[in-house]
Amino acid sequence: MTAENKISKVQELVYEIRVGDVMKKNVITVGPQDRMSEFGKILREKRISGTPVVDQGRLMGVISIDDFIRWLAERQEDCPVERKMTKNVRTLYADEPAVQAVNKFDQLGFGRFVVIDRRDEKLVGIITKGDIIEGLLKKLEVDYYDEQTNHRTIQSFFDDVLADKAALFFQYSVTGHDFNKAGETASRIKTTLKRLGIAPQIVRRVAIATYEAEMNLIIYTEGGEIRVRVEPHKILVRVEDSGPGIPDIEKALQPGYSTAPEWVRELGFGAGMGLQNIRKCTSKMGLMSVVGKGTQLRMNISLDDGVASETN
Amino acid sequence: MTLEDVRKILDAEFIACGELLHRDVKTACGSDLMSDVLAFVKPEGLLLTGLTNPQVVRTAEMADLGAVCFVRGKKPDKQTIKLAEAKNIPMLTTPLSMFESCGRLYRDGVVSCFECGK
Ligand SMILES: Nc1ncnc2c1ncn2[C@@H]1O[C@H](COP(=O)(O)OP(=O)(O)OP(=O)(O)O)[C@@H](O)[C@H]1O
Ligand SMILES: [Mg+2]
């Protein structure tokens, strides 16, 4: 499994998603006979930078804030917008793959496209880069964080996906002592990784390791957070809770050592194999704990050595 | 052999995903310790167990097991069966004991899916 394969799955999704799936549908429009002064009012009230000009559903042109300013500057008489609008509008069809839109955004340097229906050429929506990314993230059920700014930036995600250097980040909360829900988080992580096109033996290792960690959160703590970060060459998982902590880490790491209560053993856990198993499934793991404060478990699963431990 | 063969050999019945009866079964293991299963079992194996809680299905899901068979006539609750259906994990139940079930399958050529040991 190579990084290229993984990211191309994201690109595959860009092909899968249609312009019509992610566009904004409630578009503010004006008619060709509407006056420039009215258009100015709409710009001010709706805080938009332009609108399509539509006559009975058919797209006649586009009028922008630039057209409005030019009209103001020329101090001309009030007139219908059709006299000032741009008539030659670049459009996309609703049934085109989103990737088509991606390419056109790049080629033409446009911020948005008007979307029309292929059969009757009627206006159906408007699409921006951001709409495509939002659709993509929804499909992947993940969040994207920008390293530098440390928050979700849709625009740079877009560039990173195209440049094959996207990192995807997702985070889950686990509630302590809720045995019936145990495994839900690991299951969701597994589903997402599969969707990203990551090799099955790697998905399995991450699933087993996060499941063991999730079990420990549920059995020994009041709950905690599981964070997963998928990079082109590795998957990083961080599991954190806020207590009770592990008094002797050496001991806890020994296979067979367990403080699990009887009810946990009756359910098939508490063999003292969990941490051992996590170590086995990961390329690197680190366990830090402070009694009374909490425990932090870090795992690193390389995407490049899938063959090394293919049996697990 | 297939899951359908397993069903016949163990006098078992399907309780989830019966439509997957043609799924291939080459290896199996018997265990009531889920962390052992998670640690040592190879993918696609059949798990025989006396436990019926939802974590059995979760374990099967995470470890990519091929199917689960409950011994001594045990049956999980509805929710656990629903979970197995959702995750596409076939489940059977046999009236036989763990020992008898493993013995019959071994006799008919199914080998261990535990990685360790001989
Ligand atoms: N997050 C945690 N907070 C506090 N103690 C923990 C935590 N994780 C593990 N431990 C301690 O470390 C011991 C070993 O954990 P490990 O997961 O290896 O085995 P186990 O949970 O006891 O059994 P198994 O995982 O096989 O079901 C536990 O019994 C518990 O005492
Ligand atoms: Mg454990």
Side-chain angles (χ1 to χ4, degrees):
Chain A
M1 186 70 198
T2 61
E4 287 71 50
N5 283 347
K6 178 174 71 68
I7 301 301
S8 74
K9 187 79 181 182
V10 178
Q11 284 170 337
E12 243 170 61
L13 273 177
V14 189
Y15 279 97
E16 225 176 78
I17 296 176
R18 306 272 143 184
V19 167
D21 299 336
V22 293
M23 68 185 183
K24 292 270 182 322
K25 288 188 182 127
N26 297 321
V27 187
I28 297 164
T29 61
V30 294
Q33 296 305 322
D34 289 349
R35 307 252 127 199
M36 283 307 274
S37 53
E38 291 167 54
F39 172 60
K41 220 155 89 196
I42 292 172
L43 285 183
R44 209 170 336 106
E45 281 169 9
K46 308 283 186 194
R47 297 184 175 278
I48 51 177
S49 57
T51 75
V53 181
V54 173
D55 191 16
Q56 288 167 5
R58 278 186 60 91
L59 180 70
M60 311 304 289
V62 167
I63 184 126
S64 70
I65 198 159
D66 292 340
D67 300 324
F68 182 74
I69 292 169
R70 218 169 295 128
W71 170 73
L72 277 182
E74 287 166 5
R75 295 172 181 281
Q76 291 176 3
E77 296 269 295
D78 207 357
C79 67
V81 294
E82 72 178 339
R83 301 241 300 266
K84 301 289 165 195
M85 71 186 183
T86 307
K87 291 195 182 103
N88 211 342
V89 187
R90 297 288 195 137
T91 56
L92 290 169
Y93 290 118
D95 61 2
E96 278 183 88
V99 72
Q100 217 77 334
V102 170
N103 292 337
K104 286 194 186 162
F105 279 127
D106 277 0
Q107 279 166 18
L108 305 168
F110 286 0
R112 53 170 57 86
F113 278 97
V114 175
V115 184
I116 58 175
D117 188 280
R118 192 183 292 276
R119 281 156 307 164
D120 53 16
E121 305 256 308
K122 284 194 172 169
L123 174 115
V124 286
I126 256 184
I127 191 165
T128 63
K129 274 188 178 189
D131 295 331
I132 297 174
I133 303 304
E134 249 172 67
L136 204 64
L137 289 173
K138 241 186 238 156
K139 262 220 148 126
L140 288 167
E141 281 183 5
V142 297
D143 253 338
Y144 172 72
Y145 274 75
D146 185 88
E147 258 310 63
Q148 265 102 49
T149 59
N150 214 18
H151 52 67
R152 204 169 132 165
T153 56
I154 277 169
Q155 225 61 8
S156 66
F157 175 80
F158 198 77
D159 298 336
D160 284 357
V161 167
L162 292 176
D164 274 1
K165 52 179 196 174
L168 300 169
F169 177 85
F170 29 112
Q171 175 172 353
Y172 306 87
S173 291
V174 177
T175 317
H177 314 300
D178 194 350
F179 204 80
N180 274 326
K181 287 222 171 108
E184 268 183 19
T185 298
S187 176
R188 285 171 66 183
I189 291 170
K190 187 171 188 189
T191 306
T192 303
L193 294 181
K194 265 202 249 165
R195 225 180 261 158
L196 282 169
I198 290 168
Q201 68 266 31
I202 293 193
V203 173
R204 181 173 190 259
R205 283 163 55 195
V206 178
I208 291 175
T210 48
Y211 180 48
E212 290 281 12
E214 185 183 0
M215 272 333 266
N216 283 353
L217 284 184
I218 285 167
I219 296 169
Y220 306 107
T221 79
E222 297 298 317
E225 303 282 323
I226 301 184
R227 296 183 176 84
V228 183
R229 197 186 147 92
V230 181
E231 294 183 2
H233 295 281
K234 58 179 184 280
I235 297 174
L236 302 170
V237 183
R238 207 167 77 205
V239 184
E240 273 175 301
D241 64 65
S242 44
I246 304 173
D248 189 339
I249 289 193
E250 282 292 293
K251 231 174 173 178
L253 285 168
Q254 273 169 23
Y257 175 82
S258 178
T259 61
E262 191 50 37
W263 67 270
V264 169
R265 289 170 198 266
E266 274 164 19
L267 289 165
F269 285 84
M273 292 301 298
L275 291 167
Q276 181 73 11
N277 201 3
I278 292 171
R279 176 174 276 163
K280 202 173 142 194
C281 288
T282 54
S283 315
K284 252 189 266 170
M285 93 155 204
L287 182 64
M288 286 189 311
S289 188
V290 180
V291 173
K293 277 248 153 84
T295 303
Q296 193 191 70
L297 175 67
R298 283 165 179 271
M299 339 172 184
N300 178 331
I301 298 100
S302 164
L303 291 178
D304 305 325
D305 68 5
V307 209
S309 52
E310 62 175 17
T311 51
N312 206 327
Chain B
M1 65 174 70
T2 64
L3 276 180
E4 175 59 12
D5 298 326
V6 171
R7 190 193 62 75
K8 284 187 196 136
I9 293 166
L10 300 183
D11 301 321
E13 60 169 304
F14 277 102
I15 48 178
C17 298
E19 71 281 1
L20 296 174
L21 75 174
H22 298 301
R23 191 175 270 189
D24 207 28
V25 179
K26 287 198 183 69
T27 61
C29 66
S31 180
D32 289 345
L33 263 181
M34 291 306 119
S35 357
D36 267 2
V37 173
L38 289 165
F40 301 117
V41 167
K42 287 180 256 175
E44 287 162 28
L46 164 73
L47 169 66
L48 294 135
T49 184
L51 289 178
T52 57
N53 65 69
Q55 298 316 313
V56 175
V57 180
R58 289 300 185 194
T59 300
E61 178 193 357
M62 301 314 154
D64 295 329
L65 301 186
V68 177
C69 181
F70 303 102
V71 296
R72 277 192 290 113
K74 292 185 183 184
K75 269 186 201 174
D77 60 18
K78 274 206 193 90
Q79 239 178 318
T80 307
I81 294 176
K82 248 169 84 182
L83 184 61
E85 291 276 358
K87 296 293 166 188
N88 256 328
I89 297 164
M91 295 201 301
L92 302 102
T93 180
T94 170
L96 305 180
S97 72
M98 177 75 98
F99 182 77
E100 179 75 24
S101 307
C102 293
R104 287 194 189 185
L105 290 175
Y106 191 80
R107 179 196 64 197
D108 288 357
V110 177
V111 295
S112 170
C113 61
F114 267 110
E115 260 173 32
C116 61
K118 307 264 140 58

